[in-house]
Amino acid sequence: MAQAAYILIVEDDADILEAMRIILEDGGYEVAWAMDSGEARQLMKRRRPDLMILDVMMRSPDEGFQFAYQLKNDPQYENIPILIVTSIAQKTGFSFSPETDGDFLPVEGFIEKPVNPQQLLNNIKQLLSKANN
Amino acid sequence: MGKIQPKEVYEEGTDLLQNMHWLIGLRWLFVAAIIVTVLFCKYFLTLGAAYFQIGILTAVLLAYNISFAVGGRFFYRQPQLSSKQIDLVRGSLFTQITLDLIILTLMIHYTGGGENPLLFFYIFHVTIAGIMFPRRTAYLFSLLAVVLLGFLLGSEYFGVISHYHLKGFLPVELYREGTYILGLGVTLTLTLMTSVYLATTIMTRLHRRELELEQARQTLLEESRSCEISLAQLDRLHKEKSDFMRKVAHELRAPLAAIKSCLQVAREYYADELTGKPREMIERAERRSDGLMALVKDLLNLSQATEFSPATNFQPLQIDKLLSTVIEFCRPIAQEQGIQIVAQLETTVEVMADPQGLEEVFTNLLSNAIKYSPEKTEVTVSLKVDDERACIYFTDQGIGIDPEDMPLLFTEFFRAKNAKALHVEGTGLGLALSKRIVEAHGGEISVESTLGEGSSFKLQLPLKPA
């Protein structure tokens, strides 16, 4: 990789955001962050991210999902891998697993809060290498 | 008391109508008895009597009984009597008994007066009055009977009216024997008064019992109604409680996740700057936040298990496979503590179950067994089929459970004293949650334990129908 991958974090919890920023920057990535989907769009126009990390519950309980749907239906952005970060595990009524749900949100990965640094880095590494192939 | 009044009025109406029906029925019988007796006396005993007058009296008796019977039909048809109709029925009963007394007196007059044992029929009349009317009215009827009787005996004695002797019944005429007539009158008066007294006493007691019964019935009804209300309220409260619990748990999760993430980053990414005491303090805080996370997770699961509706998520599940998975998951923790897990899962057993729910239960029970066992001991997981049920045992050689703690073991937030004393993390929700999940599967959870020697938890689940 000639240049460090550029990752956009969309997360409204400033503390989680800060923790993730430290983990990712330490992992050698270039990181930008937005507190909501509107702000994220502005940043994406300026520079296309190589990967996005989305929080599910922001201003509305499913803003992250909505945003992911929009991106996946936008030819300009559909190829950007998305990693969803959520503090609600199973049994919320949302679809979380590609194996159990056919009508599955086509994002590339899920990770549960609190964020485990190693797990986060592993996930990102995997998604980026898949996207580059 | 106020509440039962309408019922009482209604019952009074029904009672009066029943009495009237009964009285009219009795009178039919009497008319028949009179006709039979008259025929018997005239043609078999060949007694000489005023048969013409007796015939007329019987006809009158028959006539008014017919009219009361016909009139009564109107009242029987009413679903419920108004208080005016009740007064009418009561008045009719009053008239009927008065007429009966007059007819009886006339009948006695034409059949020998004081010489005829028919005199004792007055007892029937006053007893009937005692059954149907309040004590005072009943005494009034007995007084009327006494007056009629006195008038009859006196008039015959003094020759004011003629005496009809029953020829062939008595060899002598007694109506002029003063002492006999007086004795007869006094005896009969006392008998009538006593009859009324007895009849009304029995009726008063009966009525009081009826009232008590009715009151008891009303009280029971009210109590059962209030029980229903309390049950509904309890239900609602329970639902509110679990809703609240879930909301709180969700709200707690986000900040907790942030705390935990920050602490972990601080410890892992600033290891150089974080040494000695500061590092230890961060580690302490992280450990506590882990405990809190576990509690919140259990709370969420518990509130979900409350509304766990069976069958929605049920699918055929191989218990032995799931147990193996859970055992492998727990094995590293067990090894860390020097505990060996022995699996006895020779049989293949299928049940209908929610896989996530049962995995939660198995993990709970197995990690409990490991948590509360000393080093170099064994934890055994075994599976059997017994009486159409899958029986799963989690047996340890751990600290055991105090018999005192047994009754509360499966209640929320309960932790046994010896468990707390061990300083192992625990939320006190695991067993409560397990019990709910198992019961939602139509199963049972039970435990046998000796303090200091170990515990054995037994799960029973219905087998998958063949």
Side-chain angles (χ1 to χ4, degrees):
Chain A
M1 219 182 290
Q3 201 188 353
Y6 174 56
I7 296 175
L8 176 58
I9 309 173
V10 190
E11 162 72 79
D12 69 340
D13 185 322
D15 299 319
I16 296 257
L17 183 62
E18 181 64 5
M20 281 198 283
R21 190 185 63 81
I22 293 170
I23 296 168
L24 295 181
E25 282 179 353
D26 188 81
Y29 298 107
E30 215 179 311
V31 182
W33 59 91
M35 302 289 272
D36 59 58
S37 50
E39 207 182 314
R41 277 187 181 283
Q42 298 289 322
L43 287 173
M44 288 169 80
K45 270 179 211 158
R46 247 177 276 161
R47 183 178 168 190
R48 181 190 157 94
D50 299 304
L51 183 141
M52 289 181 69
I53 297 176
L54 288 188
D55 180 25
V56 177
M57 291 213 250
M58 288 185 276
R59 276 171 318 197
S60 70
D62 63 345
E63 187 179 337
F65 278 139
Q66 302 275 5
F67 191 36
Y69 264 115
Q70 288 164 13
L71 294 179
K72 287 297 168 192
N73 287 313
D74 186 338
Q76 199 187 339
Y77 296 122
E78 63 182 352
N79 291 327
I80 302 177
I82 294 178
L83 181 63
I84 292 261
V85 194
T86 170
S87 62
I88 37 172
Q90 305 114 341
K91 300 178 186 172
T92 43
F94 291 124
S95 315
F96 280 100
S97 145
E99 291 97 46
T100 58
D101 217 304
D103 182 31
F104 179 67
L105 179 64
V107 297
E108 282 68 20
F110 281 93
I111 207 167
E112 204 180 320
K113 289 182 195 174
V115 180
N116 179 301
Q118 209 45 56
Q119 198 190 349
L120 180 66
L121 291 174
N122 286 345
N123 266 286
I124 287 171
K125 208 171 166 187
Q126 256 180 24
L127 295 183
L128 284 175
S129 70
K130 240 190 248 172
N132 288 335
N133 288 335
Chain B
M1 275 302 278
K3 276 188 183 164
I4 57 174
Q5 222 104 55
K7 175 91 183 153
E8 230 181 319
V9 170
Y10 170 69
E11 292 224 317
E12 198 185 356
T14 330
D15 265 8
L16 281 173
L17 281 180
Q18 267 174 6
N19 282 339
M20 191 159 88
H21 190 69
W22 177 59
L23 191 60
I24 290 170
L26 266 179
R27 210 174 283 119
W28 295 129
L29 267 179
F30 268 103
V31 171
I34 291 169
I35 292 170
V36 171
T37 312
V38 163
L39 292 177
F40 182 74
C41 290
K42 189 171 179 184
Y43 297 107
F44 192 73
L45 297 178
T46 56
L47 298 182
Y51 288 112
F52 176 70
Q53 286 90 335
I54 293 169
I56 296 213
L57 286 177
T58 312
V60 171
L61 188 62
L62 192 64
Y64 75 72
N65 206 36
I66 290 171
S67 51
F68 281 121
V70 171
R73 275 165 194 269
F74 167 76
F75 294 103
Y76 299 148
R77 275 199 299 267
Q78 305 299 316
Q80 194 173 334
L81 294 187
S82 66
S83 56
K84 214 174 191 178
Q85 286 169 327
I86 287 176
D87 283 345
L88 261 172
V89 174
R90 197 185 285 119
S92 141
L93 276 174
F94 204 89
T95 316
Q96 288 182 45
I97 295 178
T98 310
L99 283 173
D100 286 343
L101 279 171
I102 293 169
I103 293 283
L104 177 65
T105 310
L106 289 171
M107 201 68 108
I108 291 168
H109 171 60
Y110 288 113
T111 55
E115 295 158 11
N116 191 340
L118 194 62
L119 278 173
F120 289 99
F121 272 47
Y122 279 117
I123 296 170
F124 297 150
H125 291 70
V126 298
T127 307
I128 288 171
I131 291 171
M132 293 185 182
F133 293 109
R135 179 164 277 173
R136 214 173 285 178
T137 320
Y139 275 121
L140 217 68
F141 275 113
S142 70
L143 195 68
L144 176 65
V146 169
V147 167
L148 286 169
L149 177 71
F151 179 75
L152 174 71
L153 295 180
S155 308
E156 287 192 9
Y157 177 77
F158 291 111
V160 180
I161 54 171
S162 49
H163 172 70
Y164 289 84
H165 183 64
L166 264 184
K167 287 185 197 89
F169 183 66
L170 267 183
V172 286
E173 296 197 343
L174 293 172
Y175 74 102
R176 280 200 176 276
E177 298 295 323
T179 15
Y180 168 73
I181 295 298
L182 195 65
L184 187 68
V186 170
T187 310
L188 213 57
T189 305
L190 286 176
T191 309
L192 293 183
M193 293 299 172
T194 312
S195 302
V196 169
Y197 173 74
L198 292 177
T200 51
T201 304
I202 292 169
M203 288 314 287
T204 312
R205 287 190 188 173
L206 212 71
H207 193 59
R208 202 186 307 141
R209 291 277 183 285
E210 270 180 0
L211 265 180
E212 281 168 5
L213 257 175
E214 177 57 24
Q215 266 167 338
R217 200 182 69 94
Q218 289 288 337
T219 318
L220 265 175
L221 260 177
E222 270 160 40
E223 269 169 21
S224 77
R225 230 171 280 145
S226 74
C227 271
E228 270 168 38
I229 293 169
S230 321
L231 256 177
Q233 275 172 340
L234 258 179
D235 243 31
R236 193 171 47 79
L237 275 177
H238 187 72
K239 204 187 162 305
E240 275 173 14
K241 190 190 91 175
S242 72
D243 280 353
F244 178 72
M245 217 158 77
R246 191 171 44 228
K247 272 181 206 147
V248 168
H250 272 304
E251 292 302 312
L252 286 177
R253 250 192 101 98
L256 258 175
I259 292 171
K260 165 80 184 164
S261 301
C262 290
L263 287 172
Q264 200 171 3
V265 166
R267 183 171 50 78
E268 289 186 18
Y269 289 84
Y270 300 92
D272 305 342
E273 298 161 47
L274 202 63
T275 52
K277 203 67 187 167
R279 181 177 186 85
E280 186 200 322
M281 295 312 282
I282 292 282
E283 279 167 356
R284 278 173 188 263
E286 215 183 329
R287 238 189 338 268
R288 295 307 295 267
S289 68
D290 282 343
L292 209 49
M293 285 291 288
L295 174 67
V296 168
K297 181 177 155 270
D298 279 358
L299 266 177
L300 266 174
N301 283 338
L302 190 71
S303 66
Q304 260 141 13
T306 311
E307 290 146 31
F308 193 91
S309 61
T312 48
N313 233 351
F314 280 18
Q315 55 195 74
L317 183 79
Q318 235 173 295
I319 293 244
D320 44 313
K321 269 195 183 166
L322 182 59
L323 277 171
S324 304
T325 316
V326 170
I327 289 170
E328 288 324 308
F329 175 75
C330 289
R331 213 182 276 284
I333 317 164
Q335 273 163 353
E336 238 172 69
Q337 293 186 41
I339 291 160
Q340 202 191 338
I341 305 178
V342 181
Q344 297 171 343
L345 313 167
E346 288 78 25
T347 33
T348 300
V349 181
E350 255 197 327
V351 295
M352 290 302 289
D354 167 37
Q356 273 177 358
L358 279 196
E359 189 181 337
E360 179 91 37
V361 175
F362 293 165
T363 313
N364 256 323
L365 292 177
L366 186 54
S367 59
N368 271 357
I370 296 166
K371 246 197 268 184
Y372 301 115
S373 289
E375 266 182 57
K376 293 195 179 113
T377 56
E378 281 183 1
V379 170
T380 312
V381 181
S382 56
L383 173 65
K384 273 186 229 161
V385 174
D386 185 25
D387 195 22
E388 296 294 298
R389 310 199 111 202
C391 300
I392 306 129
Y393 299 86
F394 295 84
T395 310
D396 63 51
Q397 299 160 341
I399 56 173
I401 301 155
D402 192 328
E404 251 183 48
D405 289 335
M406 281 288 191
L408 291 172
L409 200 62
F410 293 98
T411 51
E412 293 154 29
F413 298 108
F414 176 78
R415 288 196 74 203
K417 288 180 287 299
N418 56 347
K420 282 190 219 158
L422 266 188
H423 298 293
V424 242
E425 293 286 341
T427 59
L429 287 172
L431 286 181
L433 177 64
S434 300
K435 184 172 155 62
R436 285 204 196 157
I437 295 175
V438 169
E439 281 174 359
H441 282 80
E444 269 173 54
I445 185 167
S446 58
V447 60
E448 278 175 24
S449 180
T450 312
L451 195 57
E453 287 181 21
S455 313
S456 180
F457 282 81
K458 180 186 182 186
L459 285 184
Q460 293 184 73
L461 293 167
L463 291 181
K464 184 192 153 207

